[in-house]
C-alpha cells in the first residue's frame, strides 16, 4: 500500500513537470501556431492538464 502511494506521488510529480513544460512550450507559440493546433491562448492550461492528468 505504501509503495502504491509513493509510486502514485512520483507519477503525479512527473505529470506536473510535463504539464509545466507543455504550458511553457505553448506559451512561446504565436496565435497562428496555436490556431493550427486548434487552441486559443486561453486554452493552454486546460489543454496541458488534460493531456497529462487524464482521469484515472
Amino acid at each position: 500500500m505504501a509503495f502504491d502511494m509513493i509510486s502514485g506521488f512520483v507519477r503525479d510529480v512527473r505529470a506536473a513537470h510535463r504539464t509545466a513544460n507543455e504550458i511553457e512550450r505553448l506559451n512561446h507559440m504565436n496565435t497562428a501556431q496555436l490556431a493550427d493546433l486548434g487552441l486559443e491562448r486561453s486554452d493552454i492550461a486546460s489543454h496541458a492538464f488534460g493531456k497529462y492528468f487524464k482521469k484515472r
Side-chain angles (χ1 to χ4, degrees):
M1 179 144 170
F3 179 76
D4 291 337
M5 289 176 59
I6 292 170
S7 64
F9 174 77
V10 170
R11 184 176 45 246
D12 287 347
V13 168
R14 286 181 180 161
H17 187 247
R18 289 180 181 130
T19 299
N21 287 340
E22 181 76 356
I23 290 171
E24 183 176 351
R25 182 181 75 83
L26 293 172
N27 274 329
H28 282 91
M29 292 184 174
N30 63 38
T31 303
Q33 291 170 315
L34 289 171
D36 287 344
L37 297 174
L39 298 172
E40 294 181 2
R41 195 152 303 279
S42 62
D43 298 328
I44 289 175
S46 61
H47 169 78
F49 276 94
K51 184 174 181 178
Y52 294 107
F53 284 96
K54 299 175 184 159
K55 290 184 180 180
R56 297 174 191 179

